[in-house]
Amino acid sequence: MVLNNIKAFLLHLGLDVMVLFFFSPIMGKFFSSSTVVPRLFGLLSVVLCICLGLLLTPKGTKYKNFLSCILPAIIGLLVWLYCYVNWPDSFNSNDPSGWRLVYAYYTCDSNWMVGFLDNTGRLFYNANLAPLFSFIPSFLLFIGLELKARIIKR
């Protein structure tokens, strides 16, 4: 279970790096934010995260599978909590700074994933909803892991 958590965390970081260094520059150079392309990149991020879940090892029950990919969510929640306690006002502004910026980088793949649902961009700046962004990659990795478990079962 520990090895799966480490893999899930590294896969999450890899997806973050890909979003930061591949998706974002492409979007900035070729497309405006009002086009349909950002939504397609968000959908692609969801599909990639589920596919990355296929790389994890099934642990038997759904409960154990979920616990074996929860580390990215726990780390994200701890980073959010630290940022929120130290800089509560920076979460509800459009000017990210300090540790809030670190949380934005840690959850950048989640921003893309919900970006195709919310084109205003205001969802992320709500401090009460920000912790949910930590759980999205873990949940999608769990879906991929469950798909792999069902494929192996057959």
Side-chain angles (χ1 to χ4, degrees), residues 28-105:
K29 288 182 182 178
F30 299 112
F31 304 103
S32 70
S33 61
S34 64
T35 65
V36 73
V37 178
R39 293 173 192 254
L40 292 175
F41 275 110
L43 189 58
L44 179 63
S45 295
V46 169
V47 171
L48 280 174
C49 197
I50 291 172
C51 290
L52 289 174
L54 295 171
L55 299 174
L56 300 173
T57 307
K59 296 298 176 188
T61 64
K62 289 183 182 186
Y63 178 71
K64 287 182 181 179
N65 284 343
F66 182 72
L67 288 179
S68 71
C69 58
I70 196 75
L71 186 63
I74 291 171
I75 291 174
L77 189 62
L78 291 174
V79 169
W80 173 84
L81 187 62
Y82 180 78
C83 296
Y84 188 69
V85 167
N86 289 314
W87 298 280
D89 295 334
S90 69
F91 271 87
N92 287 321
S93 71
N94 286 333
D95 182 32
S97 61
W99 278 96
R100 199 260 178 215
L101 185 61
V102 172
Y103 183 73
Y105 284 143

